Amino acid sequence: MGASHTKVIDLKSAIETYVPDGAHISIGGFTINRNPMAAVYEIIRQHKKGLHLYAHSNGQGVDELIGAGCVARLEIAYAGSGRFAPTCIRFRKAIERGDIGFEDYSNYQMTLRFMAGAMGVPFLPTRSGLGTDLIRQWGFQKTERQNDIKLPDEKLVVLDNPFGTWADTPKVVLVPAINPDVTIIHVQKADADGLSRINGLPFVDVEQAKASRHLIVTCEELVDTDELKSDPDRNQVPPFCVDAVVHVPWGAFPTACFGRYDYDPAYLNHYKQDAADDIRYKKYLQNFIYGPETHEQLLAKINPAQLDAIRADERTGYATGLDRR
Amino acid sequence: MGASHTKVIDLKSAIETYVPDGAHISIGGFTINRNPMAAVYEIIRQHKKGLHLYAHSNGQGVDELIGAGCVARLEIAYAGSGRFAPTCIRFRKAIERGDIGFEDYSNYQMTLRFMAGAMGVPFLPTRSGLGTDLIRQWGFQKTERQNDIKLPDEKLVVLDNPFGTWADTPKVVLVPAINPDVTIIHVQKADADGLSRINGLPFVDVEQAKASRHLIVTCEELVDTDELKSDPDRNQVPPFCVDAVVHVPWGAFPTACFGRYDYDPAYLNHYKQDAADDIRYKKYLQNFIYGPETHEQLLAKINPAQLDAIRADERTGYATGLDRR
Amino acid sequence: MSEYTLREMMTIAAVREINDGDIVFCGTGISMLAAMAAKHISAPDSFIFFETGAIDSKLEEVPLAVGDPRVMYWTAVNGSLADAFATMQNRFTGRQVVGIMGAAQIDIYGNLNSTSIGDYHRPKVRFPGSGGACDVASFVNRTIIFMSLEKRKFVRTLDYFTSPGWIDGPEGRKKTGLPDGGPSVVITNMGIFRFSSDSRKMYLDSYYPDVTPDRILDNMEFVVDVVDAVPTRPPSDNELQILREKCDPQRLIL
Amino acid sequence: MSEYTLREMMTIAAVREINDGDIVFCGTGISMLAAMAAKHISAPDSFIFFETGAIDSKLEEVPLAVGDPRVMYWTAVNGSLADAFATMQNRFTGRQVVGIMGAAQIDIYGNLNSTSIGDYHRPKVRFPGSGGACDVASFVNRTIIFMSLEKRKFVRTLDYFTSPGWIDGPEGRKKTGLPDGGPSVVITNMGIFRFSSDSRKMYLDSYYPDVTPDRILDNMEFVVDVVDAVPTRPPSDNELQILREKCDPQRLIL
């Protein structure tokens, strides 16, 4: 594929093009790992509104999008950021204040919903959740669903096994597919056409990527196609799934990126304190997100010694011995 | 895990232990690639009878098991061995003569059936096959199914989408899970506890492995756990899925094993001719399978120059320039 | 204009059906060659795609099966069968896929049989079965079908209905619950058929040199419209040159 | 006998629930430490297993979340979430899994709430939500539950029913369509509860030194059977030594 067909664009253009107000969106990563934070911050910087956000346990990115007021509705399994926030702080405030619509699922249910979207089927079955409020309590009511073409009419459906007691399973929960308008994932390596490689646990990134109408890949390193094709067993996302490739070193910061850098305990602790107070949180947004024009400028505000401290050890893939208090 | 917990046994014992007459069985690989042929030949050698065999496109192994009379019933998507047998020869004869029971599915349907078994759900949905004889024509009739606890009562079930037209899908085909009594796969590397690594395309091996009550892994190379754990992104089957590990170099011969050796065109052409004639086929069985007591002895009957010729090129993973006429 | 063989004609006919950006699902043989040639001729940004899970393989040598280790070398992704079929069933990527397939029988709506002739349970002739054919025909946007033109192959009623075409007319797939899309073209050894957008019935689009529409009809069990059929545009020098020199210099397939 | 802390007592209580060959689904903190200690004490062939997909991680440093890069190092397999949950729902491997979990509320049948307090739509307190808790509780053979013993946590009725325990009695899971298995033990800061095999109701199994059954009942909204409760067997010197020296020498968790 010639250079003329490159999908490489800058982050500002990628978000402008693929994340309109009101978009249904999902982001990759898990709690404090490989969230596409540069893209999250750019969405905030562009003051996107009314997003419908699908998340399994995409911790830090979810909390910042909610905190900045970008999210109108949330479908989620888990909002926590490990020890830094057993419950994500701005998420908790938004829900207790009634600022956003929300609906609860389990992690596997959300995983299967993305998987159904990726597979091109309307639902997948599971035994998870039978008998629980995940089935009984709907966050979005029937009329809201029926009036919105982008929501399925039912939250979850319990089905008697049409194969009798086959597999000793009398009934299953059907979870409806998700096909987001756009998904954003952050990967270690990609080429200009979007062929992508994730090192370490892929979480649900691959299913989220394939379920989506549009896909933005941000990457630590933009590499030659041949580098990736020489070891194809390690690659996960084929070029034809990808709309935009954005080269953003440290693009998951302050969350971790296996083999590259650790999460930044200093930033996350600072965030934790700021997030707890509305006035301090406004200042945080101003200082760290609206102030800088790019992720590079945001990074320039971080003590270089701290960035150095979180660089991954080549042997372990994380910052061995990092002070994580 | 101490050496006392090793799952390493010899092939004869593995087949004796896990493949009783009448077992429901599946084998890994695809057409002429990475079939667990050493295990297939050992099953034949032990004169196993009445096997119920689940296959997607597991070409050569399926044909030899059928040819040797081990198979009573077959559920299959495709029986071909590439250019060597556009339709597998002993398979074709067995069906045209009415020697075995059989039922047809598509490759994706069979893939999903193994996947459902691996996931622990009774079925998975797909849009494949709507309107076709795959749904209308049952190989095993209702009463046969109802009298056999190991067969689901229905072949395939068409279901109206319980989420209305969600995902623009009015209806789906549900395919029932398969949980074989035993699956056998052949991999490039395994450790003594069964942790396994496949290089190149994994086909459906991983789903077949996880769907199964028992799993035999045959491997080209038995390696230290640390060698595999140092690069876990490449490993697919965790130890707790595995019952037996058998070290069998050239264990996929005469089918290919990526990065190790190619398929053997000489053997496959020879097989093609023998398989076409009942008397010659009996001689083939006697000479190549019943005669040798082990896979090593079978290999000893092959011209060493030919084994050398099919050794994989390090760069490409196959035998570059091999005479494949 | 150069001389050319029938196989070259058929291959180039398929190449012309492949557009830039297409994901080309192919088997071995002539379909794979068409996919390779398209990358050089009309569709540099198309992808060769095998049901075994290999995407964009570097085919330094001709694979003899889609499970051949040659399809695993220098690919974009070495996925599983589950991945491959999901790509085709996927609502976005599936729309980019053009499937190339063959069969033992075809009917006027492009429905295919690759399972058996005679009674299903005790067939006169048994073929390998669906493999991925039913899946591809069910899911993807367009299919290109290769068939040799014979009366026993172009039949009024299939002995076994393996893979869905247009089912029974313009509403056939919709009624059945299948995604949009379906057979686009049937490339034979005597001419090329397409499907009417009104009736979804096969019609003769063009015929090769030294062939007449009447001779084509003689080789079919059912009758198709031939009134608008024209002579097939022969392969151009450029098409032939690329096909011969870049795709199959050793003439392994051609 | 050595001195020991409450956290050490609780950790060792969990260790004793882990058998050789178990696949131990755990979160961070004390549950992970119990899984690590079990490999040294009673269950050398058990596997530490995270919902994020990491199997048998070499935990050279303590992860602060199950998505911590520390769980990805030197594992048997780095799978996906889909793989991890399928392992637990799987009819064979799921039977080998013991899940360790916590919650905000528990009822007498071991059903759990980790979602919210008050009205679901406008809660007084919002927690992170199910995460994998509902999945694990639905699928696996046995669960070990860590809870701090407080009246607002051991409640008659859950504010939100996130994860299934024994539902409403001996037939609860079966009626509901869930696999066999369920909560096995509840380890608290004052004593240890188990579930009657007849009624599937929680009962007090043992209580820690300086605690009485009555004091325990004072900290619960519902009443449980305490008649057979005995003092908890304290950690042995050997257990403590292994826990301290081999699992958490830097006292990051203990």
Side-chain angles (χ1 to χ4, degrees):
Chain A
M1 330 270 146
S4 62
H5 296 92
T6 179
K7 294 168 185 166
V8 178
I9 56 174
D10 64 283
L11 188 53
K12 186 159 175 282
S13 310
I15 301 301
E16 278 170 2
T17 308
Y18 295 108
V19 189
D21 285 350
H24 285 228
I25 180 177
S26 88
I27 59 173
F30 195 96
T31 59
I32 49 174
N33 206 316
R34 227 167 24 68
N35 283 223
M37 292 307 296
V40 163
Y41 291 140
E42 182 59 31
I43 290 171
I44 297 173
R45 217 171 271 131
Q46 292 188 19
H47 296 281
K48 297 297 180 186
K49 295 284 170 222
L51 299 181
H52 187 110
L53 180 58
Y54 300 101
H56 44 92
S57 294
N58 318 76
Q60 187 67 17
V62 165
D63 203 48
E64 301 224 26
L65 285 172
I66 292 171
C70 303
V71 176
R73 293 190 304 199
L74 175 67
E75 304 190 25
I76 194 160
Y78 186 82
S81 298
R83 209 202 46 194
F84 301 100
T87 303
C88 285
I89 300 164
R90 302 307 304 185
F91 156 84
R92 178 177 167 179
K93 279 188 201 294
I95 287 195
E96 290 175 4
R97 288 169 180 170
D99 287 345
I100 59 170
F102 65 95
E103 190 161 84
D104 276 274
Y105 295 87
S106 73
N107 260 347
Y108 191 42
Q109 287 172 348
M110 287 306 287
T111 299
L112 289 172
R113 296 184 65 197
F114 288 117
M115 200 166 143
M119 289 168 68
V121 288
F123 62 82
L124 282 172
T126 174
R127 304 183 78 172
S128 178
L130 286 165
T132 72
D133 281 344
L134 291 178
I135 292 173
R136 288 185 290 262
Q137 287 280 15
W138 293 17
F140 312 129
Q141 302 310 307
K142 191 88 179 180
T143 44
E144 180 175 3
R145 306 178 93 88
Q146 285 168 334
N147 294 332
D148 189 337
I149 196 171
K150 286 180 155 189
L151 293 182
D153 286 359
E154 316 277 329
K155 184 190 180 196
L156 297 166
V157 169
V158 176
L159 181 78
D160 286 332
N161 183 355
F163 295 91
T165 55
W166 186 241
D168 289 336
T169 303
K171 55 180 84 166
V172 290
V173 182
L174 305 182
V175 302
I178 295 172
N179 286 119
D181 295 320
V182 58
T183 286
I184 310 173
I185 63 172
H186 184 71
V187 307
Q188 280 89 348
K189 288 185 184 182
D191 77 4
D193 290 311
L195 173 59
S196 300
R197 177 179 300 175
I198 294 168
N199 296 115
L201 297 172
F203 305 127
V204 192
D205 282 36
V206 180
E207 291 87 351
Q208 291 177 261
K210 292 182 175 177
S212 194
R213 183 177 297 276
H214 297 292
L215 175 63
I216 301 172
V217 172
T218 66
C219 62
E220 284 298 315
E221 212 181 323
L222 192 61
V223 299
D224 277 350
T225 300
D226 278 354
E227 181 181 334
L228 297 176
K229 291 190 80 173
S230 69
D231 195 358
D233 294 11
R234 287 190 182 283
N235 305 332
Q236 293 99 346
V237 183
F240 50 70
C241 295
V242 181
D243 292 275
V245 180
V246 187
H247 183 212
V248 199
W250 298 87
F253 177 92
T255 70
C257 186
F258 189 68
R260 305 289 170 139
Y261 45 88
D262 220 316
Y263 45 83
D264 183 0
Y267 192 105
L268 293 174
N269 279 323
H270 192 265
Y271 176 87
K272 180 184 179 176
Q273 291 178 318
D274 287 350
D277 180 274
D278 287 354
I279 292 164
R280 281 186 65 167
Y281 195 66
K282 270 192 186 146
K283 283 189 193 151
Y284 162 78
L285 284 174
Q286 196 51 52
N287 188 20
F288 277 93
I289 307 176
Y290 297 129
E293 280 173 30
T294 62
H295 199 57
E296 231 179 335
Q297 288 184 19
L298 183 154
L299 291 166
K301 299 179 75 73
I302 311 299
N303 180 352
Q306 182 63 13
L307 286 186
D308 242 23
I310 66 172
R311 263 180 225 281
D313 185 73
E314 212 176 306
R315 183 179 66 89
T316 61
Y318 54 82
T320 312
L322 174 67
D323 181 355
R324 293 181 288 147
R325 279 166 302 182
Chain B
M1 328 269 142
S4 61
H5 294 93
T6 179
K7 295 169 185 164
V8 178
I9 57 174
D10 64 284
L11 187 54
K12 186 158 176 282
S13 309
I15 301 300
E16 278 171 2
T17 309
Y18 296 108
V19 189
D21 285 350
H24 284 228
I25 180 176
S26 88
I27 58 172
F30 196 96
T31 58
I32 50 173
N33 205 318
R34 225 166 26 67
N35 283 225
M37 293 307 297
V40 162
Y41 291 139
E42 181 60 29
I43 290 171
I44 297 172
R45 216 171 273 131
Q46 294 188 16
H47 296 280
K48 297 296 180 186
K49 294 285 169 221
L51 300 181
H52 187 109
L53 179 59
Y54 301 102
H56 44 90
S57 294
N58 318 78
Q60 187 66 18
V62 165
D63 203 48
E64 301 224 27
L65 285 172
I66 293 171
C70 304
V71 176
R73 293 190 303 199
L74 175 68
E75 304 189 25
I76 193 160
Y78 186 83
S81 298
R83 210 204 44 194
F84 301 99
T87 303
C88 285
I89 298 162
R90 302 306 304 185
F91 156 85
R92 180 177 165 178
K93 280 189 200 293
I95 288 194
E96 290 175 3
R97 289 170 179 169
D99 287 346
I100 59 171
F102 65 95
E103 190 161 84
D104 275 275
Y105 296 86
S106 72
N107 260 347
Y108 192 42
Q109 287 171 348
M110 287 306 287
T111 300
L112 289 172
R113 295 185 66 195
F114 288 117
M115 199 166 145
M119 289 170 67
V121 288
F123 62 83
L124 282 172
T126 174
R127 305 183 77 173
S128 178
L130 286 165
T132 73
D133 281 343
L134 292 177
I135 293 174
R136 288 184 291 260
Q137 287 280 16
W138 294 17
F140 311 129
Q141 302 310 308
K142 191 89 182 180
T143 43
E144 181 175 3
R145 295 175 170 283
Q146 285 169 334
N147 293 333
D148 189 337
I149 198 170
K150 285 181 156 187
L151 292 182
D153 286 358
E154 317 276 329
K155 183 189 180 195
L156 297 165
V157 169
V158 176
L159 181 78
D160 287 332
N161 182 355
F163 296 91
T165 56
W166 186 242
D168 290 335
T169 303
K171 57 181 82 166
V172 290
V173 181
L174 305 182
V175 302
I178 295 172
N179 286 120
D181 295 321
V182 59
T183 286
I184 310 174
I185 63 172
H186 184 72
V187 307
Q188 280 89 349
K189 289 184 182 181
D191 77 5
D193 291 312
L195 173 58
S196 300
R197 177 179 299 174
I198 294 168
N199 296 115
L201 297 172
F203 305 127
V204 192
D205 282 36
V206 180
E207 290 87 350
Q208 291 177 263
K210 293 182 175 176
S212 194
R213 183 178 297 275
H214 296 293
L215 175 62
I216 302 173
V217 171
T218 65
C219 61
E220 284 299 315
E221 212 180 324
L222 193 62
V223 298
D224 276 351
T225 300
D226 279 352
E227 181 182 334
L228 298 176
K229 291 190 79 173
S230 68
D231 195 358
D233 294 11
R234 287 190 182 283
N235 305 333
Q236 292 100 345
V237 183
F240 50 70
C241 295
V242 181
D243 292 275
V245 179
V246 187
H247 183 213
V248 198
W250 299 88
F253 177 91
T255 71
C257 187
F258 189 69
R260 305 286 170 142
Y261 45 87
D262 219 318
Y263 44 84
D264 183 0
Y267 192 104
L268 293 173
N269 278 324
H270 192 265
Y271 177 86
K272 180 184 176 176
Q273 292 178 315
D274 287 350
D277 180 274
D278 288 355
I279 293 164
R280 282 185 64 166
Y281 195 67
K282 268 190 188 147
K283 285 187 194 153
Y284 161 78
L285 285 174
Q286 197 51 51
N287 188 20
F288 279 93
I289 308 178
Y290 298 128
E293 279 173 32
T294 62
H295 199 57
E296 230 177 335
Q297 288 184 17
L298 184 155
L299 291 166
K301 300 180 73 73
I302 311 299
N303 180 354
Q306 181 63 12
L307 287 185
D308 244 21
I310 66 171
R311 262 179 226 281
D313 184 72
E314 213 177 302
R315 182 179 67 88
T316 59
Y318 54 82
T320 312
L322 174 67
D323 181 355
R324 292 182 287 147
R325 280 165 301 180
Chain C
M1 197 187 311
S2 312
E3 295 279 308
Y4 56 87
T5 67
L6 187 58
R7 282 176 81 78
E8 286 172 337
M9 173 75 252
M10 293 173 73
T11 309
I12 293 298
V15 169
R16 290 172 180 162
E17 301 293 320
I18 297 169
N19 303 319
D20 217 14
D22 282 351
I23 301 168
V24 186
F25 170 93
C26 53
T28 51
I30 197 168
S31 73
M32 203 189 55
L33 197 62
M36 289 170 75
K39 290 194 72 145
H40 290 285
I41 295 174
S42 54
D45 283 350
S46 59
F47 299 87
I48 296 179
F49 181 80
F50 295 100
E51 68 176 316
T52 39
I55 297 170
D56 209 27
S57 317
K58 183 171 184 179
L59 298 169
E60 289 189 354
E61 295 190 5
V62 173
L64 297 187
V66 297
D68 193 305
R70 283 153 191 78
V71 308
M72 306 181 184
Y73 172 63
W74 214 266
T75 70
V77 181
N78 272 341
S80 64
L81 264 77
D83 295 328
F85 287 111
T87 296
M88 294 190 270
Q89 194 176 219
N90 182 291
R91 297 170 68 203
F92 311 117
T93 48
R95 299 298 89 194
Q96 303 174 53
V97 179
V98 52
I100 312 184
M101 51 206 305
Q105 290 182 328
I106 187 169
D107 72 12
I108 198 166
Y109 294 106
N111 305 305
L112 302 175
N113 171 15
S114 51
T115 303
S116 54
I117 302 290
D119 175 58
Y120 171 64
H121 303 280
R122 192 68 187 270
K124 219 168 65 181
V125 186
R126 173 68 206 206
F127 303 113
S130 162
C134 172
D135 308 310
V136 176
S138 295
F139 298 151
V140 311
N141 199 39
R142 277 187 304 138
T143 55
I144 298 168
I145 300 164
F146 278 106
M147 295 284 294
S148 101
L149 194 69
E150 298 173 47
K151 232 182 185 120
R152 63 188 181 126
K153 294 195 165 193
F154 282 69
V155 296
R156 269 189 218 100
T157 307
L158 304 174
D159 283 54
Y160 185 98
F161 188 148
T162 313
S163 306
W166 296 109
I167 308 283
D168 60 1
E171 293 301 307
R173 288 182 71 95
K174 197 174 176 180
K175 276 185 314 192
T176 310
L178 288 165
D180 293 341
S184 172
V185 63
V186 183
I187 299 170
T188 76
N189 48 318
M190 299 180 77
I192 295 172
F193 300 86
R194 296 187 183 277
F195 296 85
S196 148
S197 52
D198 290 341
S199 68
R200 295 304 189 192
K201 282 185 183 169
M202 199 185 289
Y203 67 88
L204 185 64
D205 184 65
S206 72
Y207 45 90
Y208 300 162
D210 305 324
V211 178
T212 63
D214 277 354
R215 236 186 85 208
I216 286 174
L217 288 173
D218 281 349
N219 281 282
M220 303 171 70
E221 207 181 83
F222 55 88
V223 178
V224 299
D225 190 348
V226 300
V227 291
D228 292 326
V230 295
T232 308
R233 177 162 58 90
S236 72
D237 288 353
N238 179 48
E239 286 169 334
L240 284 172
Q241 191 184 345
I242 289 172
L243 184 62
R244 290 170 182 170
E245 292 176 14
K246 296 213 173 169
C247 303
D248 191 16
Q250 299 177 273
R251 316 288 284 176
L252 286 167
I253 300 179
L254 288 173
Chain D
M1 197 188 315
S2 312
E3 296 280 307
Y4 56 87
T5 66
L6 186 58
R7 283 176 80 77
E8 286 172 338
M9 173 74 251
M10 292 171 74
T11 308
I12 292 299
V15 169
R16 291 170 179 163
E17 301 293 321
I18 298 169
N19 303 320
D20 216 13
D22 283 352
I23 302 168
V24 187
F25 169 94
C26 54
T28 50
I30 197 168
S31 73
M32 203 187 55
L33 197 61
M36 288 169 75
K39 290 194 71 144
H40 291 285
I41 296 172
S42 54
D45 282 350
S46 59
F47 298 87
I48 297 180
F49 181 79
F50 295 101
E51 66 177 316
T52 40
I55 297 170
D56 208 29
S57 317
K58 183 170 184 180
L59 299 169
E60 288 189 355
E61 294 190 5
V62 172
L64 297 187
V66 296
D68 194 306
R70 281 154 192 78
V71 308
M72 304 181 187
Y73 172 63
W74 214 266
T75 70
V77 180
N78 272 340
S80 64
L81 264 77
D83 294 329
F85 288 111
T87 296
M88 295 190 270
Q89 194 175 222
N90 183 289
R91 297 169 68 201
F92 311 117
T93 49
R95 300 297 87 193
Q96 303 174 54
V97 179
V98 52
I100 312 183
M101 50 204 307
Q105 291 182 330
I106 188 169
D107 72 13
I108 198 165
Y109 293 106
N111 304 305
L112 304 175
N113 171 15
S114 52
T115 303
S116 54
I117 302 292
D119 175 58
Y120 172 63
H121 303 280
R122 192 68 187 270
K124 219 167 67 180
V125 186
R126 173 68 206 205
F127 303 113
S130 161
C134 172
D135 308 310
V136 176
S138 295
F139 298 150
V140 310
N141 198 38
R142 279 187 304 136
T143 56
I144 298 168
I145 300 163
F146 278 107
M147 295 284 293
S148 104
L149 194 71
E150 297 174 48
K151 233 185 182 113
R152 61 186 182 128
K153 296 195 165 193
F154 282 68
V155 296
R156 268 189 221 98
T157 307
L158 304 174
D159 283 54
Y160 185 98
F161 187 147
T162 312
S163 306
W166 296 109
I167 308 284
D168 60 1
E171 293 300 308
R173 289 183 70 95
K174 197 173 173 180
K175 276 187 313 194
T176 309
L178 289 165
D180 292 342
S184 171
V185 63
V186 183
I187 300 170
T188 77
N189 48 317
M190 299 179 77
I192 294 171
F193 300 87
R194 295 187 184 277
F195 295 85
S196 148
S197 53
D198 289 342
S199 69
R200 294 302 188 194
K201 282 186 183 172
M202 199 185 288
Y203 66 88
L204 185 64
D205 183 66
S206 72
Y207 46 90
Y208 300 162
D210 307 323
V211 179
T212 62
D214 277 354
R215 235 186 88 209
I216 285 174
L217 287 172
D218 281 348
N219 281 281
M220 302 171 73
E221 209 182 79
F222 55 87
V223 178
V224 298
D225 189 350
V226 300
V227 291
D228 292 325
V230 295
T232 308
R233 177 162 59 91
S236 72
D237 288 352
N238 179 48
E239 285 170 335
L240 284 172
Q241 191 185 344
I242 287 171
L243 184 62
R244 290 170 184 168
E245 291 175 15
K246 295 215 173 172
C247 303
D248 191 15
Q250 299 176 274
R251 315 289 283 176
L252 285 167
I253 299 179
L254 288 173

